[in-house]
Amino acid sequence: MKRFFQPVPKDGSPAKKRPAAADSLGGDSPAPAARREEEPRRFVTWNANSLLLRMKSDWPAFCQFVSRVDPDVICVQEVRIPAAGSKGAPKNPSELKDDTSSSREEKQVVLRALSSPPFKDYRVWWSLSDSKYAGTAMIIKKKFEPKKVSFNLDRTSSKHEADGRVIIAEFESFLLLNTYAPNNGWKEEENSFQRRRKWDKRMLEFVQQVDKPLIWCGDLNVSHEEIDVSHPDFFSSAKLNGYIPPNKEDCGQPGFTLSERRRFGNILSQGKLVDAYRHLHKEKDMDCGFSWSGHPIGKYRGKRMRIDYFIVSEKLKDRITSCEIHGRGIELEGFYGSDHCPVSLELSEETEVSEPNISN
């Protein structure tokens, strides 16, 4: 598979010497540039469709992918590992369940996988559901220490979002948001259309209130435009057991209804956000342009959607150097056992800002 990231100098590379200033108190010499602490620039997002199952079967291949791409941060959705806490007791969504023999064995599988190369150089944050459902993880290289990590779209709350759908890492110059958006479903019910509308409303409020440039990634469970699905007519006319919603805008495949797509477009415009992949890739790519693929057997064979994203603030747009979808074809090459493949983003280094020169 093609390598999408360019090699970077190893830590400890000699820095270029600066010319000595003519006058330390001012004068016409330029002031030294203010350097920020090094921050993550290479990111991967992946819906693992059960991280535990991937660790048991497809982990060596995924480790090779991580070693090759060398991301600073890996955001995972649908980890499907239950939170710590015995039956009937309060749960701790930041810790893995280990109160039964089977959960202890599963926890050891996870810990071994994340303590072996290349993951021994990373630290992981969890936001887990009460059961083997949903959940997210954010895996960050240890040399990059977030200023704060939170687990709720209301960043002042200490609670985790229901089902562990959100992790937010704050760095000096940006926020990194990892989300697993709820599926729209097929019906006008509390856990279907209504749940997704509430989610989209909260996401709109969040992006309008962020106080730093945003990098938003994850399984967003929406294909924004027709170019983002392999077969627009198939997805537009999809039904579950022949049911047709009363509102025409709610008809079709979850993730490709007009109502979801319009709400998503509004979130992008109101939040002044840019779809990083589409910013670089303007044309439809039937081979490598989709991050989710239907089951290779049955009516969804060959039916694919782009529902995994990197969305960035307009202020970061000019720093996007690559955004790639790493799976291809209808046989799920590069999906590592999941029905989603990894998506990567690389940003260029932030331009140094010179401090104002103060003259006498």
Side-chain angles (χ1 to χ4, degrees), residues 275-289:
D275 177 348
Y277 178 83
R278 193 56 68 205
H279 175 66
L280 298 180
H281 305 271
K282 308 296 186 185
E283 304 298 325
K284 190 167 187 174
D285 184 344
M286 287 297 291
D287 192 34
C288 301

Side-chain angles (χ1 to χ4, degrees), residues 194-248:
Q194 295 176 33
R195 177 178 68 163
R196 183 55 189 250
R197 290 189 197 114
K198 291 177 182 176
W199 171 270
D200 288 342
K201 181 175 183 292
R202 294 185 64 213
M203 283 305 314
L204 177 61
E205 293 168 350
F206 177 87
V207 301
Q208 290 176 314
Q209 295 171 2
V210 290
D211 52 359
K212 288 184 177 182
L214 177 66
I215 301 173
W216 172 23
C217 71
D219 177 358
L220 308 191
N221 256 322
V222 61
S223 294
H224 188 202
E225 306 287 356
E226 288 196 355
I227 192 176
D228 298 314
V229 297
S230 60
H231 298 77
D233 292 342
F234 173 87
F235 288 115
S236 295
S237 60
K239 303 181 185 69
L240 180 66
N241 300 326
Y243 173 77
I244 301 176
N247 185 342
K248 185 178 180 180

Side-chain angles (χ1 to χ4, degrees), residues 302-325:
K303 308 301 190 298
R304 291 165 289 162
M305 307 175 75
R306 187 172 73 94
I307 58 178
D308 303 87
Y309 291 80
F310 277 98
I311 305 294
V312 304
S313 295
E314 288 182 354
K315 293 179 180 179
L316 298 174
K317 179 176 67 175
D318 293 338
R319 292 182 57 197
I320 301 171
T321 60
S322 72
C323 186
E324 304 296 338
I325 297 173

Side-chain angles (χ1 to χ4, degrees), residues 47-51 53-54 77-80 337-340:
N47 178 320
N49 191 17
S50 178
L51 188 60
L53 288 181
R54 305 289 78 80
Q77 306 85 44
E78 210 169 352
V79 297
R80 292 191 183 183
S338 177
D339 52 353
H340 297 246

Side-chain angles (χ1 to χ4, degrees), residues 104-124:
R104 283 191 291 272
E105 291 175 4
E106 291 175 347
K107 182 176 180 178
Q108 287 304 310
V109 171
V110 175
L111 294 180
R112 281 195 297 269
L114 294 179
S115 61
S116 303
F119 291 95
K120 63 183 180 64
D121 296 326
Y122 293 80
R123 178 183 173 186
V124 61

